[in-house]
Amino acid sequence: MEPVALERFPSPGKGSGLRSCRRVRPGELLYRAEPFTYVVSKEQLGSVCEYCLRRNEHLHRCSQCKVAKYCGKSCQKEAWLDHKQECRCLKSVKPNFPPDSVRLAGRIVFKLLRQSVWLSERLYSFSDLQSNIEQLSEEMKDGLRHLAQTLQLYLKMEIQDASHLPPAIDFFQIFAKLTISYIESLMPTSERQKQLMRQYCFECDCLLCQNQEKDAEKLAGEEHAWKEVKDAVNEVRYPKSKEEWEQVLARCQNLLSSNMGRLPDTNIYQLKMLDCAMDACINLESWEEALYYGSRTLGPYRLHYPGFHPLRAVQLMRVGKLQYSQDMFPQALETLKQAYDIMKVTHGTDHSLMQALMEIKEQCEAIVRTQ
């Protein structure tokens, strides 16, 4: 049965409703919206552009706060409306730095205060998001209150008295709403359910949660071995220096070597360790070793992310680029074609990542034709 596109339309006196449109093809764009707001995590700060999120080794720093970094003047200009007020806040709290959630909440507050209608709110607005405060434990409420107090201190340069804010802007409520994707679907069912109930106050009944057969594949291998790898993966923080990346790689190499034959690559914690080793090698420019680890992930990615899944597309693209760097052009072309087939569905042809993929794919095709 082919999917049917549903279109939201205004209904006089009743807000909005839904009506069926036409049958659509897989990969056909139904709806697109920019995020309401976003921030670069502290772990990635300084390695990616604050506006376009592209990784760049030669970023230009904001001259005021000296925190935000951009590809160049164009990105900085586009980001200024969202960065202008937070810039002064970041500068005022130095040498301290707000948690990622506090910085994100600050951007939400500034955007709500501008009182404009944003394209990202065409389907629903920020105020429509639920907080479920009455269902939260006292421990979680205390944690949210602490974040709200931290936010108030962070914004003090721009908002001296939070009590004068409109009722719709409640610091505590902002932290309680559901503002992002829930959790990583790769986690075992029991862990997903516990986290969803603890953090979002609902029990999921999707097909993945109903059918727990995949949990055996996710946790294949010797239990004590994958628990050791799980602990190691959870301890990894995004390194900033070459020395830190070398330490991460050494830890990955040691565990992957000691667990040879004890854990299959399809074990989700083994897979995360392979991903971690691949990232370390890329940052250390050890391309051949990065390709070795990346190639081992493709089978597990196909198993755990079947069909048109964006994470699998990105991983195929990464491995294809590594094959290209090693002059393995026929193999690279095949891998990049697989990434292209998925990404044209998950991202669309005009996405910046898709354009980058098409560029290297065309270069690879040109080289293969001349061989």
Side-chain angles (χ1 to χ4, degrees), residues 128-271:
D128 292 328
L129 297 173
Q130 300 300 305
S131 63
N132 295 308
I133 287 177
E134 65 283 351
Q135 299 180 46
L136 298 178
S137 67
E138 286 303 317
E139 182 182 0
M140 287 198 69
K141 289 180 182 177
D142 287 341
L144 294 179
R145 290 188 192 100
H146 178 71
L147 285 174
Q149 291 168 0
T150 305
L151 176 62
Q152 189 169 348
L153 290 172
Y154 169 59
L155 300 181
K156 201 166 186 64
M157 176 61 69
E158 290 293 310
I159 303 172
Q160 285 74 32
D161 190 348
S163 64
H164 293 165
L165 290 171
I169 302 179
D170 183 301
F171 289 176
F172 181 77
Q173 289 276 351
I174 284 175
F175 283 107
K177 289 180 181 292
L178 319 172
T179 56
I180 58 172
S181 305
Y182 294 122
I183 54 173
E184 167 59 74
S185 61
L186 195 61
M187 295 166 59
T189 304
S190 60
E191 290 189 28
R192 294 198 312 272
Q193 292 285 7
K194 287 178 184 177
Q195 187 172 336
L196 288 170
M197 183 57 68
R198 181 183 64 82
Q199 192 167 353
Y200 299 106
C201 305
F202 74 88
E203 184 174 322
C204 182
D205 194 34
C206 73
L207 291 177
L208 185 62
C209 289
Q210 289 179 28
N211 184 0
Q212 301 182 25
E213 292 179 1
K214 287 192 175 182
D215 286 351
E217 295 173 339
K218 292 178 179 180
L219 300 178
E222 299 178 16
E223 184 175 353
H224 67 278
W226 63 252
K227 282 187 173 180
E228 182 184 9
V229 175
K230 176 185 177 181
D231 292 339
V233 168
N234 291 336
E235 290 172 2
V236 173
R237 297 294 178 265
Y238 199 84
K240 295 289 185 181
S241 65
K242 179 182 178 182
E243 291 73 20
E244 290 177 343
W245 275 118
E246 287 174 343
Q247 292 172 8
V248 168
L249 179 58
R251 177 73 167 140
C252 293
Q253 290 170 331
N254 180 51
L255 281 170
L256 289 170
S257 175
S258 64
N259 287 323
M260 188 73 70
R262 300 164 67 198
L263 287 181
D265 291 345
T266 53
N267 180 286
I268 58 175
Y269 302 113
Q270 175 86 341
L271 178 57

Side-chain angles (χ1 to χ4, degrees), residues 238 245 248-250 252-253 256 270-298 301 311-323 335:
Y238 199 84
W245 275 118
V248 168
L249 179 58
C252 293
Q253 290 170 331
L256 289 170
Q270 175 86 341
L271 178 57
K272 288 182 178 182
M273 183 62 71
L274 288 169
D275 262 332
C276 190
M278 179 183 177
D279 287 340
C281 290
I282 290 173
N283 279 276
L284 294 170
E285 299 184 0
S286 300
W287 311 121
E288 186 175 353
E289 190 174 359
L291 176 57
Y292 167 70
Y293 293 123
S295 298
R296 286 176 62 178
T297 69
L298 294 186
Y301 264 77
L311 291 182
R312 183 174 170 229
V314 172
Q315 190 74 348
L316 283 163
M317 180 179 176
R318 296 175 76 206
V319 172
K321 289 172 68 176
L322 287 169
Q323 290 172 328
T335 305

Side-chain angles (χ1 to χ4, degrees), residues 7-193:
E7 181 180 71
R8 190 175 292 275
F9 66 97
S11 178
K14 296 182 180 180
S16 63
L18 292 172
R19 68 183 177 198
S20 63
C21 298
R22 55 184 172 77
R23 298 195 179 279
V24 296
R25 300 183 304 275
E28 185 174 352
L29 179 65
L30 300 182
Y31 179 77
R32 171 185 286 131
E34 295 295 318
F36 184 73
T37 191
Y38 60 92
V39 294
V40 174
S41 69
K42 192 182 296 186
E43 292 180 340
Q44 299 283 355
L45 206 61
S47 60
V48 298
C49 174
E50 291 262 343
Y51 178 70
C52 70
L53 305 180
R54 289 181 179 173
R55 192 172 296 278
N56 193 327
E57 295 180 359
H58 307 288
L59 296 170
H60 301 272
R61 187 173 62 176
C62 171
S63 61
Q64 297 298 313
C65 67
K66 295 181 172 54
V67 171
K69 292 187 177 181
Y70 305 96
C71 293
K73 290 183 179 179
S74 176
C75 281
Q76 187 169 9
K77 183 179 179 181
E78 292 294 330
W80 182 241
L81 185 61
D82 286 326
H83 180 61
K84 181 179 179 180
Q85 289 177 287
E86 78 156 8
C87 183
R88 291 189 283 266
C89 294
L90 289 169
K91 191 176 179 180
S92 70
V93 298
K94 278 192 167 183
N96 297 316
F97 192 83
D100 294 338
S101 58
V102 170
R103 189 182 175 200
L104 178 64
R107 285 197 166 200
I108 291 172
V109 169
F110 293 139
K111 201 153 192 176
L112 292 174
L113 285 173
R114 294 206 289 271
Q115 296 183 332
S116 299
V117 178
W118 307 99
L119 291 177
S120 57
E121 295 188 291
R122 286 179 61 185
L123 292 182
Y124 56 86
S125 67
F126 183 80
S127 61
D128 292 328
L129 297 173
Q130 300 300 305
S131 63
N132 295 308
I133 287 177
E134 65 283 351
Q135 299 180 46
L136 298 178
S137 67
E138 286 303 317
E139 182 182 0
M140 287 198 69
K141 289 180 182 177
D142 287 341
L144 294 179
R145 290 188 192 100
H146 178 71
L147 285 174
Q149 291 168 0
T150 305
L151 176 62
Q152 189 169 348
L153 290 172
Y154 169 59
L155 300 181
K156 201 166 186 64
M157 176 61 69
E158 290 293 310
I159 303 172
Q160 285 74 32
D161 190 348
S163 64
H164 293 165
L165 290 171
I169 302 179
D170 183 301
F171 289 176
F172 181 77
Q173 289 276 351
I174 284 175
F175 283 107
K177 289 180 181 292
L178 319 172
T179 56
I180 58 172
S181 305
Y182 294 122
I183 54 173
E184 167 59 74
S185 61
L186 195 61
M187 295 166 59
T189 304
S190 60
E191 290 189 28
R192 294 198 312 272
Q193 292 285 7

